[in-house]
Amino acid sequence: KTLSRKEVAQLIENMEGKILITSHKNPDGDAIGSSLGWFNFLRKLKSNVKVILKDKIPYFYDFLPNINKISTSHSINEQFDWVIILDVSETERTGFDSIPAKNSLVIDHHITANPDSTFAIVEPKMPSTCELSLEIMKLIGENLIDYEVALPLYMGMVTDTGSFGYNSTTPDTLRNAAFLLERGINPYTVIKNLFERNRVTRIKLLKKVLDTLNFAANGKIAHITVLQKFLKETGAGLEETEGFISYPRSIEGVEVAIFFKEFEDGKWKVSLRSKGNIDVAAVASKFGGGGHVMAAGFEYSGEGIENLKKELFEHLSKLLNQ
Ligand code: 5GP
Ligand code: MN
Ligand code: MN
């Protein structure tokens, strides 16, 4: 059932029992920010709230209040009354085989056909789940939005909008950011912690990944690849590749940037970024994934990554020549 902001606010106010908060696997800033924002907010209202995510949280989020209260686990073995699923609409993308909860509420900003939850609010125009969450929280009680709620939300707004640089950023986004700054946030705290604490292992990995830089479609496609062996050679984790895709995207004349990531189990994750002329969400959904017009992705577990590359470049070349 699809709800309005007001109805979601009422639903959350009336939630009773054990509440689980979760988000998508390989969590990004918006997933972590909205999970922690809601945790810090609901802690003041409810007695039993937990956050469980599938995958490890990258170290650069460690400055957020109560980040160590988020647990990571391959499965959820406890029964809950409610689960709040953030920044994703398909429960499959949480990475859990099943979530034992009587009721579920999705809060998301991706274009999705049908959220598989009891209740949902999905606003694709919203630049981040953090901003949508803030709008709902304001309806529950502005006084509950203190520094420890504001900081993770601000962080997720920054990461999903490219530091308020993408066209998804609206006047309301900046007003909401201002609202959060009034809760005592220093903007540079977020930027410094997220973007200016590179580990040497990460820079060594970046060197190897940039060495794989290649082009297709007469330079309109730039792509990079991370292999498992690069991780072994540098000691970096796959989550430390966050942001690498901005390098191929930054090249003059490039319309679409692609990042191929090899996982431990031999599967692949493909990230797509566009400068606006190509809708990469549509491209990703053709390959079984999804996302936004300018940022999308999908997983690949088929035979030979070279086959996928060929198919993907051909598909994109057609779109680029239209
Ligand atoms: P990223 O490339 O940073 O992992 O993801 C960029 C965007 O694409 C995010 O909004 C993310 O939710 C979406 N996305 C990435 N991978 C997948 C996927 O496998 N399936 C779907 N539906 N969306 C994805
Ligand atoms: Mn996300
Ligand atoms: Mn998001």
Side-chain angles (χ1 to χ4, degrees):
K1 190 168 181 288
T2 301
L3 303 180
S4 68
R5 289 179 186 178
K6 187 97 207 156
E7 288 169 324
V8 173
Q10 277 163 0
L11 187 73
I12 291 173
E13 274 190 281
N14 294 328
M15 278 182 187
E16 280 175 14
K18 291 172 71 177
I19 303 170
L20 171 68
I21 295 167
T22 191
S23 185
H24 59 78
K25 56 187 169 181
N26 310 310
D28 53 15
D30 194 26
I32 291 164
S34 56
S35 297
L36 201 55
W38 275 113
F39 176 76
N40 289 341
F41 184 88
L42 288 176
R43 252 160 39 102
K44 300 175 178 62
L45 292 174
K46 316 279 175 186
S47 56
N48 204 326
V49 188
K50 272 190 186 168
V51 191
I52 308 177
L53 300 178
K54 169 76 191 305
D55 294 308
K56 198 175 151 207
I57 299 193
Y59 69 88
F60 39 84
Y61 297 107
D62 62 10
F63 68 103
L64 297 167
N66 292 324
I67 189 80
N68 57 1
K69 299 263 169 59
I70 299 183
S71 40
T72 52
S73 171
H74 287 289
S75 61
I76 298 168
N77 307 312
E78 219 179 309
Q79 178 70 39
F80 289 89
D81 294 287
W82 282 95
V83 59
I84 302 176
I85 303 169
L86 299 161
D87 198 38
V88 67
S89 296
E90 305 89 10
T91 46
E92 184 251 313
R93 284 237 308 131
T94 61
F96 300 117
D97 289 334
S98 71
I99 302 175
K102 288 187 200 126
N103 293 288
S104 52
L105 166 66
V106 158
I107 302 176
D108 189 20
H109 69 129
H110 292 90
I111 302 161
T112 24
N114 226 338
D116 37 12
S117 58
T118 338
F119 301 98
I121 180 163
V122 180
E123 294 193 21
K125 288 227 168 76
M126 272 293 172
S128 62
T129 298
C130 281
E131 187 177 349
L132 177 56
S133 297
L134 174 62
E135 293 283 12
I136 297 164
M137 288 177 190
K138 286 199 272 189
L139 298 173
I140 300 174
E142 283 199 7
N143 57 314
L144 297 168
I145 306 168
D146 58 10
Y147 181 81
E148 64 169 32
V149 176
L151 187 61
L153 293 182
Y154 184 87
M155 182 280 293
M157 287 173 62
V158 166
T159 54
D160 255 28
T161 60
S163 305
F164 305 113
Y166 300 147
N167 282 342
S168 57
T169 306
T170 67
D172 276 336
T173 304
L174 296 184
R175 278 187 276 269
N176 278 324
F179 176 95
L180 295 176
L181 291 184
E182 282 162 358
R183 266 81 205 149
I185 292 166
N186 295 315
Y188 193 54
T189 301
V190 173
I191 298 300
K192 184 181 71 185
N193 278 292
L194 287 185
F195 306 128
E196 310 209 50
R197 284 197 297 157
N198 282 321
R199 287 183 174 161
V200 177
T201 53
R202 181 167 188 265
I203 300 300
K204 285 183 174 163
L205 181 62
L206 176 62
K207 253 172 91 176
K208 286 186 189 284
V209 169
L210 286 183
D211 244 351
T212 70
L213 175 69
N214 225 317
F215 297 90
N218 297 319
K220 287 182 185 163
I221 298 172
H223 56 98
I224 53 173
T225 303
V226 63
L227 300 174
Q228 282 292 314
K229 70 168 185 189
F230 296 174
L231 304 179
K232 288 192 198 87
E233 288 162 359
T234 58
L238 198 58
E239 71 282 358
E240 289 184 59
T241 62
E242 176 86 47
F244 283 9
I245 198 167
S246 62
Y247 292 97
R249 183 185 54 187
S250 73
I251 298 167
E252 184 176 29
V254 166
E255 287 292 336
V256 178
I258 314 173
F259 191 2
F260 298 96
K261 298 170 206 168
E262 185 186 36
F263 276 69
E264 232 169 347
D265 57 8
K267 288 186 184 157
W268 291 79
K269 165 76 199 281
V270 181
S271 289
L272 302 165
R273 297 292 184 273
S274 160
K275 281 188 184 141
N277 289 329
I278 299 286
D279 176 359
V280 287
V283 176
S285 68
K286 195 180 176 300
F287 290 85
H292 308 280
V293 174
M294 290 176 54
F298 63 92
E299 286 174 23
Y300 181 73
S301 48
E303 276 303 301
I305 191 69
E306 292 308 320
N307 295 328
L308 172 75
K309 285 185 181 175
K310 195 162 164 280
E311 197 188 335
L312 183 58
F313 297 161
E314 275 172 16
H315 178 65
L316 280 167
S317 297
K318 273 190 215 135
L319 296 175
L320 285 161
N321 289 325
Q322 268 170 18

